[in-house]
């Protein structure tokens, strides 16, 4: 009995371990802090956007059907379709550049490159991902436009959708390449061996076996790349121009959601005006677009993970 | 096909292995192997883990080429042709010498596509449905899957997946099948099916099999090679060596070497 009591005393809580508690509190606060910040961002966007739509000059119908975005003009028009179409247009150009190049780099890295080449190329790709987008913006404006676009497509303006789209495309190549590379690497090596053992060449093995097996991961990388292209701000603001009317000519300037947000917020638009509140309507529009794409990419990636369990 | 200039050195043997050693970088996995593999017989490779049996079997269809730093010394001739001659195309080699792996590795495609992939790769697209049926029948899988040919192969059981892998291997009409522990991921019932299948297949193909299972080797093989590892003097390196190569019936009753006898009777390894 005495032994039991002794043991009980030894096992009784005597030390309070304050650092354990502080650390736990701090970690918990950080985790919930992130959620809190997200919620408050959505809340701010929503309330200001609601203010925007309460202005009698603004209608839902006009927001989605007008073909000009001129909130600071004498007779303002709020045709978000101008901005959405420009955004998607530039994003599509970016995807035309980044999907093939990113995917081919990934196939090269995972299927053909030796370990040594891989060791060189992967970090270089990651450096590309680390270049600040403002640099890509001026690269597009001062190099791609005069040296490539204006040389081969005469009549192109200084600000144009093509140049901005190409630069955004270059910017997202590492995203596409890196996630596609992960997807290809996640395919069991046994499939590669199985194919090669049947007398398939490396080319057939990578295109007919590895690529389809990694397809959902590759699609996820495409969706994420597309979502990054839509949200890209600096490049399109610098090189894409601010043409406020609906147009689909790649040689002309365009006006994306993000660059119009930048322009209004940099200008002297007073707080509380409808033009100012329009920013938040745009913000939530953009948020919904990228949110849907991210969920889609997550869904595809999750589906893909199930396949080999 | 293109490289059919085979010289029949010996009607009986399909492979002649001379002074073969395989190394990965500085590490010698297996060395000094000499053996002749007989045609239309089952030859089993047995021995403790790490003795280089899997490494060795992968040299017969040049799968080791795919491992960075792997180097093969000595010669393996396949029907008289040196497999490691500079002019030999490993892709052509693998079309004639098929391989079945340790873990079933069907492609994440339909059952039928698993077979047709190899057929298409090898330009054997005439009578494709007949070829699919023939291969699945030979692999003793046809009756189980004939109504589900468009089902995803990953939905099959492990044993069925392995028989599908055998079917896709024999569909491209190789003359030799290499099997690297084909039953190690399977239950005894599925194992029995594969063993029965091997007895059928050996009428048409030469079979080399790596196995950890002593009973499997004694039950199903005609010839048996026993490998072991030799530790270097400083105790740092272990290299595989061929101890004994004999008819299975001899090896499991009156082995030449003491070491073989110890291993077979379970006193070591």
């Amino acid at each position: 009995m005495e032994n039991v009591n002794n043991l009980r005393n030894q096992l009784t809580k005597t030390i309070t371990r304050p650092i354990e508690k502080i650390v736990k509190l701090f970690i918990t606060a950080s985790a919930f802090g992130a959620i809190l910040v997200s919620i408050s961002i959505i809340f701010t966007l929503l309330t200001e956007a609601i203010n925007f739509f309460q202005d009698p000059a603004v209608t839902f119908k006009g927001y989605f059907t007008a073909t000009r975005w001129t909130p600071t003009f004498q007779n303002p028009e709020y045709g978000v379709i101008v901005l959405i179409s420009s955004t998607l247009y530039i994003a599509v150009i970016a995807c035309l550049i980044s999907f093939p190049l990113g995917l081919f780099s990934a196939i090269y890295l995972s299927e053909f490159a030796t370990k040594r080449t891989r060791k060189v190329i992967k970090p270089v790709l990651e450096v590309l991902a680390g270049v600040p987008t403002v640099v890509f913006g001026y690269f597009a404006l001062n190099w791609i436009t005069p040296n490539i676009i204006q040389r081969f497509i005469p009549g192109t303006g200084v600000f144009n959708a093509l140049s901005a789209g190409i630069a955004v495309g270059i910017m997202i190549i590492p995203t596409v390449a890196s996630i596609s590379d992960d997807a290809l690497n996640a395919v069991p090596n046994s499939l590669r061996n199985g194919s090669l053992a049947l007398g398939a060449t490396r080319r057939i093995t990578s295109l007919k076996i590895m690529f389809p097996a990694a397809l959902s991961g590759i699609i996820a990388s495409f969706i994420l790349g597309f979502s990054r292209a839509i949200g890209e701000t600096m490049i399109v603001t610098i090189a894409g121009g601010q043409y406020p009317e609906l147009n689909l000519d790649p040689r002309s300037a365009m006006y994306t959601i993000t660059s119009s947000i930048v322009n209004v917020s940099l200008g002297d638009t007073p707080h509380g005006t409808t033009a100012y509140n329009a920013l938040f309507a745009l913000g939530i529009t953009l948020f919904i677009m990228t949110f849907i794409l991210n969920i889609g990419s997550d869904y595809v990636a999750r589906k893909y993970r199930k396949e080999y369990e | 096909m293109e490289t059919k200039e085979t010289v029949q050195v010996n009607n009986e043997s399909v492979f002649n292995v001379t002074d073969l050693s395989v190394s990965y970088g500085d590490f010698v996995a297996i060395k000094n192997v000499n053996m002749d593999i007989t045609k239309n017989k089952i030859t089993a490779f047995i021995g403790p883990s790490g003795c280089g049996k899997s490494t060795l079997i992968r040299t017969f269809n040049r799968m080791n080429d795919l491992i960075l730093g792997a180097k093969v010394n000595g010669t393996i001739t396949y029907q008289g042709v040196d497999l490691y001659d500079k002019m030999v195309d490993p892709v052509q080699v693998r079309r004639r010498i098929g391989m079945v792996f340790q873990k079933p590795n069907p492609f994440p495609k339909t059952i039928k596509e698993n077979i047709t992939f190899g057929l298409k790769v090898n330009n054997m697209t005439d009578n494709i449905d007949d070829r699919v049926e023939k291969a699945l029948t030979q692999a003793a899988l046809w009756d189980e899957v004939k109504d589900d040919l468009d089902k995803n192969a990953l939905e099959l059981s492990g044993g069925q997946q392995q028989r599908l892998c055998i079917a896709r291997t024999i569909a491209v009409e190789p003359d030799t099948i290499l099997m690297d522990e084909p039953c190690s991921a399977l239950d005894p019932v599925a194992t029995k099916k594969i063993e029965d299948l091997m007895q059928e297949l050996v009428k048409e193909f030469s079979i080399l099999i790596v196995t950890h299972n002593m009973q499997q080797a004694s039950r199903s093989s005609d010839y048996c090679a026993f490998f072991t590892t030799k530790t270097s003097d400083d105790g740092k390196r272990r290299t595989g060596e061929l101890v004994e190569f004999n008819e299975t019936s001899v090896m499991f009753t009156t082995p030449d070497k003491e070491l073989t006898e110890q291993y077979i009777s379970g006193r070591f390894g």
Side-chain angles (χ1 to χ4, degrees), chain B residues 107-133:
Chain B
F107 304 127
K109 299 170 181 281
T110 67
I111 292 170
K112 187 177 172 184
E113 283 166 344
N114 263 275
I115 312 275
T116 56
F117 173 76
L119 294 173
K120 284 176 188 159
V121 163
N122 292 283
N123 298 321
M124 297 161 76
T125 43
D126 53 312
N127 310 324
I128 204 153
D129 287 329
D130 294 341
R131 286 177 184 276
V132 170
E133 180 175 345

Side-chain angles (χ1 to χ4, degrees), chain A residues 92-116:
Chain A
V92 166
I93 296 174
C95 294
L96 290 178
I97 301 278
S98 63
F99 288 1
L101 287 180
L103 178 60
F104 293 156
S105 327
I107 292 180
Y108 172 73
L109 280 175
S110 69
E111 300 299 314
F112 293 95
T114 60
K115 265 189 193 149
R116 204 177 300 162

Side-chain angles (χ1 to χ4, degrees), chain A residues 140 143-158 160-166 250-251:
Chain A
W143 198 85
I144 299 180
T145 300
N147 290 328
I148 295 180
I149 313 245
Q150 289 180 327
R151 178 168 299 169
F152 294 107
I153 313 172
T156 314
V158 173
N160 61 81
L162 202 53
S163 169
I166 291 172
R251 294 170 306 172

Side-chain angles (χ1 to χ4, degrees), chain A residues 114-116 188 190-202 204-205 208-209 212-213 307-308, chain B residues 58 61 63 66 68 91 94-95 97-99 101 105-109 117-118 121-122 154 168-169 172:
Chain A
T114 60
K115 265 189 193 149
R116 204 177 300 162
S190 60
L191 288 189
R192 185 182 292 122
N193 285 340
S195 166
L196 292 167
L198 284 171
T201 58
R202 279 200 176 258
I204 291 172
T205 302
K208 294 278 170 66
I209 299 293
E307 275 174 29
Y308 297 105
Chain B
R58 294 168 68 98
N61 68 341
M63 286 301 279
L66 307 168
L68 211 74
V91 171
R94 294 182 201 127
R95 288 180 182 187
I97 304 168
M99 186 161 203
F101 296 83
N105 58 348
F107 304 127
K109 299 170 181 281
F117 173 76
V121 163
N122 292 283
L154 295 174
R168 89 181 168 197
T169 302
V172 301

Side-chain angles (χ1 to χ4, degrees), chain A:
Chain A
M1 207 45 206
E2 202 178 313
N3 281 341
V4 174
N5 282 334
N6 267 340
L7 184 60
R8 185 171 290 134
N9 283 336
Q10 283 171 18
L11 294 180
T12 304
K13 287 182 194 166
T14 48
I15 312 164
T16 48
R17 299 199 184 88
I19 293 181
E20 292 285 322
K21 281 184 184 150
I22 293 168
V23 168
K24 189 183 164 196
L25 195 73
F26 182 73
I27 294 170
T28 315
S30 309
F32 282 93
I35 297 174
L36 207 69
V37 170
S38 308
I39 291 174
S40 46
I41 288 175
I42 296 171
F43 182 75
T44 318
L45 284 177
L46 266 180
T47 45
E48 302 284 343
I50 288 168
N51 284 339
F52 170 71
F53 283 109
Q54 272 168 352
D55 184 316
V58 181
T59 56
F60 256 117
K61 190 168 172 264
Y63 189 66
F64 288 110
T65 56
T67 54
R68 282 153 60 90
W69 178 264
T70 51
T72 52
F73 282 20
Q74 202 75 53
N75 293 313
E77 280 187 67
Y78 303 97
V80 77
I81 218 76
V82 177
L83 308 181
I84 292 182
S85 67
S86 305
T87 303
L88 294 178
Y89 199 95
I90 290 181
V92 166
I93 296 174
C95 294
L96 290 178
I97 301 278
S98 63
F99 288 1
L101 287 180
L103 178 60
F104 293 156
S105 327
I107 292 180
Y108 172 73
L109 280 175
S110 69
E111 300 299 314
F112 293 95
T114 60
K115 265 189 193 149
R116 204 177 300 162
T117 338
R118 197 186 155 84
K119 261 186 194 158
V120 177
I121 293 187
K122 255 223 134 158
V124 171
L125 266 177
E126 271 146 27
V127 166
L128 197 60
V131 174
T133 53
V134 63
V135 175
F136 279 113
Y138 282 103
F139 176 68
L141 183 64
N142 296 332
W143 198 85
I144 299 180
T145 300
N147 290 328
I148 295 180
I149 313 245
Q150 289 180 327
R151 178 168 299 169
F152 294 107
I153 313 172
T156 314
V158 173
F159 300 103
N160 61 81
L162 202 53
S163 169
I166 291 172
V168 175
I170 295 172
M171 182 203 80
I172 54 184
I173 286 174
T175 307
V176 174
S178 155
I179 298 175
S180 297
D181 180 46
D182 290 346
L184 284 164
N185 277 321
V187 178
N189 200 25
S190 60
L191 288 189
R192 185 182 292 122
N193 285 340
S195 166
L196 292 167
L198 284 171
T201 58
R202 279 200 176 258
R203 175 183 60 86
I204 291 172
T205 302
S206 55
L207 295 183
K208 294 278 170 66
I209 299 293
M210 303 307 277
F211 172 72
L215 190 61
S216 4
I218 289 167
I219 290 173
S221 87
F222 286 177
I223 296 177
L224 208 66
F226 188 62
S227 143
R228 283 203 63 188
I230 284 177
E232 171 46 35
T233 306
M234 228 37 221
I235 299 172
V236 291
T237 307
I238 293 170
Q242 294 125 37
Y243 188 77
E245 284 183 46
L246 194 60
N247 96 88
L248 294 172
D249 180 357
R251 294 170 306 172
S252 109
M254 285 198 185
Y255 208 14
T256 67
I257 300 180
T258 49
S259 59
S260 65
I261 292 177
V262 169
N263 274 301
V264 174
S265 58
L266 285 182
D268 43 12
T269 319
H271 268 246
T273 58
T274 306
Y276 182 81
N277 289 342
L279 290 185
F280 295 91
L282 290 182
I284 200 117
T285 309
L286 188 62
F287 176 79
I288 290 169
M289 285 168 73
T290 49
F291 184 71
I292 291 172
L293 285 169
N294 286 355
I295 298 253
S297 135
D298 201 48
Y299 171 77
V300 176
R302 208 180 300 243
K303 198 176 147 202
Y304 153 78
R305 251 179 248 123
K306 275 184 195 153
E307 275 174 29
Y308 297 105
E309 269 170 11

